[in-house]
Amino acid sequence: MLDDWVLNPPVDGESFDVMHKRIKSCLNKIIDNGVDGIIVAHNGTLSMILIELLGLRHSDVTSFYFEHGTYSMVEIQAGRTRLRYFNK
């Protein structure tokens, strides 16, 4: 599972597709709210949010690792998404 959690979900855990749909639904609600916000989550969730916002492939989810004790910032303005900070 740790080598490729996209194809190998944890035992008795959510598949990548189920988790992605759940996170995407929540993310869309946050964006539709139209106000600044903060999301605190685990690495897998944050990676899924980032690939969704940046329009990357599902397989890119393993390309990101959010370091403990840091923050990242994504800016969405006029329908454009920009990664401002990563692991700062």
Side-chain angles (χ1 to χ4, degrees), residues 2-65:
L2 293 177
D3 290 334
D4 188 353
W5 60 275
V6 174
L7 296 176
N8 302 300
V11 176
D12 297 326
E14 286 181 300
S15 69
F16 179 89
D17 289 334
V18 170
M19 185 176 171
H20 181 259
K21 287 177 187 173
R22 182 172 54 85
I23 290 169
K24 184 176 179 178
S25 174
C26 183
L27 180 61
N28 287 336
K29 289 177 186 176
I30 293 168
I31 292 169
D32 291 345
N33 196 21
V35 296
D36 290 347
I38 185 169
I39 298 172
V40 178
H42 293 281
N43 188 65
T45 301
L46 292 173
S47 296
M48 282 191 174
I49 289 170
L50 193 57
I51 65 163
E52 185 64 32
L53 290 174
L54 297 178
L56 301 174
R57 300 168 301 182
H58 289 179
S59 60
D60 292 327
V61 75
T62 58
S63 299
F64 299 99
Y65 183 80

